[in-house]
Amino acid sequence: MATEVLVPTLGESITEATLGEWLKQPGDKVAADEPIASLETDKVSVEVPSPVTGVMGQHAVQVGDTVQVGAMIATVEAGGGAAAAAPAAAAPAPAAAPAPAASPDAPAALSPSVRRAVLEHGVDPATIKGTGKDGRLTKEDVAAAATAATAAKAPAAEVPATPSVAASTGRKEERVRMTRLRQTIARRLKDAQNSAAMLTTFNDVDMSAVIEARTKYKDLFEKKHGVRLGFMGFFVKAACMALKDIPAVNASIEGDEIIYHDYADISVAVSAPNGLVVPVIRDADQLSVAGIEKTIGDFGRRAKDGTLKMDEMKGGTFTISNGGVFGSLMSTPIINPPQSAVLGLHRIEDRPVVRDGQVVVRPMMYLALSYDHRLIDGREAVTFLVALKNAMEDPTRILIDL
């Protein structure tokens, strides 16, 4: 008996999604609750589980199609799949199976990022052993296979050969449809520029004290809390303190009213395979540094796996974006509406600074605060950054809330 696979409820006000990829092909065995497809919404990728144990039936939609919540996208033959397997056994074997082949040894379905890597490197995914979850291929697996293939071909390059007359000398282009997530990111960022009176102010911070504290306590911290001590925990706590001092930075505009929040829900920008996602640390002002680090670490892992939930993306009163992990020296981050400000962090580098009349070298970081000038005055923006700078340069202030 065939069971229909329906598009699940995707969250408040979300009525449709795009089919990102099929994780199971017709004829594949599936277990109940095993992911069989991936949907891309405006915010995250959502996996669709199989409602029953059985054999994957026919796909009702194609990759890239837009589907509505509640719509049928495929069928699964319940039970052992005998009804579906019998016709397949009676049919003559095809000359070539479509990729990926529906067999126990077939490679796991490729994610969009891995698929791009396969195309770039020109390797056969069926010959690569995946090291990801459930044996899936990762970008690193593809890159390693490409490197190994190049090394294997090196000796053969020493043998004189007649140049191929079929080799193309033309320039290539690839046209790839934007994912729903990327379209949403583009639209929201442009809307933010169009609606807010956006301005950015800068400062820098001497990271010596925080680096010293982290070096001194990181081993004990990890042993006690089971998570690494990073810099984001310090920055989130320092930002929460500064937000209390300058509440306008933590506020938002709704119509002709200003909404002030007596809590700090901090959005943290996290890199995911399909783009940047911004999960929210709820009540960050009430969390310890360890609690913040655990939450951020969990967000990072689940962003890569595509398992972040819709509710974890909603809300947020202030955003912190750390471009420094990618090597950025300075940037002007864009506000995440309806928030009124975003803090940009950048890489730490040794620079000469003057201390007590002497030129010394210190590990410095540029800070950037982009804000909506309709709500936040320049004085408030600068005061916020100075408060943040003071807390980071003297972490004791974070401990005693000064």
Side-chain angles (χ1 to χ4, degrees):
M1 177 180 177
T3 301
E4 294 184 344
V5 180
L6 306 179
V7 177
T9 300
L10 301 172
E12 182 182 356
S13 75
I14 299 178
T15 60
E16 63 181 22
T18 301
L19 185 71
E21 62 176 318
W22 285 108
L23 305 178
K24 292 292 184 179
Q25 301 299 320
D28 287 355
K29 293 181 179 180
V30 297
D33 297 325
E34 181 179 8
I36 61 175
S38 175
L39 299 176
E40 294 178 354
T41 70
D42 288 352
K43 296 184 177 180
V44 293
S45 293
V46 179
E47 291 184 337
V48 180
S50 172
V52 294
T53 297
V55 174
M56 189 70 192
Q58 294 300 312
H59 298 162
V61 296
Q62 303 297 319
V63 172
D65 288 353
T66 297
V67 294
Q68 303 293 320
V69 171
M72 191 270 286
I73 60 173
T75 59
V76 174
E77 296 291 340
S103 71
D105 297 326
L110 306 182
S111 68
S113 60
V114 173
R115 192 178 300 114
R116 286 194 296 270
V118 167
L119 293 173
E120 291 173 0
H121 293 289
V123 296
D124 181 2
T127 64
I128 307 173
K129 181 176 177 59
T131 61
K133 183 179 179 182
D134 297 330
R136 295 184 185 179
L137 292 183
T138 66
K139 292 188 294 184
E140 291 73 17
D141 295 334
V142 176
T147 301
T150 301
K153 293 178 181 179
E158 298 175 0
V159 180
T162 303
S164 173
V165 295
S168 173
T169 58
R171 297 183 298 175
K172 296 182 179 180
E173 293 182 348
E174 181 183 6
R175 188 179 296 269
V176 180
R177 182 178 178 180
M178 291 177 68
T179 64
R180 178 176 291 272
L181 177 60
R182 175 53 60 184
Q183 292 177 41
T184 302
I185 291 172
R187 184 180 68 252
R188 286 176 61 85
L189 292 180
K190 189 58 183 174
D191 287 346
Q193 288 182 319
N194 292 338
S195 62
M198 196 158 58
L199 187 65
T200 303
T201 187
F202 301 92
N203 211 321
D204 61 3
V205 57
D206 185 342
M207 296 290 290
S208 299
V210 170
I211 291 175
E212 182 181 354
R214 180 174 181 269
T215 301
K216 184 176 180 179
Y217 296 112
K218 63 179 181 180
D219 293 336
L220 290 174
F221 185 90
E222 185 170 3
K223 182 178 180 180
K224 180 176 181 178
H225 300 291
V227 65
R228 292 181 61 189
L229 177 60
F231 295 124
M232 280 296 288
F234 289 98
F235 273 111
V236 171
K237 289 297 292 184
C240 289
M241 292 172 53
L243 291 173
K244 288 182 180 179
D245 293 340
I246 314 295
V249 181
N250 197 43
S252 59
I253 295 177
E254 186 173 302
D256 58 358
E257 296 180 331
I258 299 174
I259 302 175
Y260 292 97
H261 309 286
D262 64 353
Y263 54 88
D265 285 351
I266 306 299
S267 304
V268 287
V270 177
S271 180
N274 292 332
L276 203 66
V277 294
V278 192
V280 180
I281 306 174
R282 308 290 178 188
D283 296 313
D285 53 320
Q286 303 299 319
L287 295 178
S288 65
V289 171
I292 293 170
E293 291 288 2
K294 288 179 181 178
T295 303
I296 293 174
D298 178 59
F299 284 159
R301 286 187 294 272
R302 292 193 290 122
K304 292 179 180 178
D305 295 338
T307 57
L308 283 173
K309 300 177 181 178
M310 287 293 177
D311 289 343
E312 294 171 314
M313 306 289 183
K314 296 178 182 177
T317 60
F318 181 76
T319 294
I320 300 178
S321 178
N322 186 6
V325 296
F326 304 109
S328 172
L329 175 64
M330 186 179 292
S331 66
T332 55
I334 299 178
I335 297 169
N336 180 25
Q339 298 172 23
S340 295
V342 53
L343 175 68
L345 309 181
H346 303 91
R347 75 169 185 254
I348 302 171
E349 66 173 9
D350 289 339
R351 291 202 297 271
V353 295
V354 177
R355 294 288 185 269
D356 299 324
Q358 300 294 320
V359 177
V360 295
V361 175
R362 292 288 186 269
M364 304 297 293
M365 175 194 287
Y366 286 118
L367 306 176
L369 182 74
S370 292
Y371 59 97
D372 190 342
H373 214 338
R374 296 177 302 167
L375 172 60
I376 303 169
D377 294 331
R379 176 185 60 83
E380 293 172 313
V382 172
T383 302
F384 173 88
L385 275 187
V386 170
L388 182 70
K389 170 185 172 73
N390 290 339
M392 293 299 294
E393 292 186 343
D394 184 5
T396 305
R397 289 172 174 261
I398 299 176
L399 177 64
I400 63 177
D401 192 15
L402 181 61

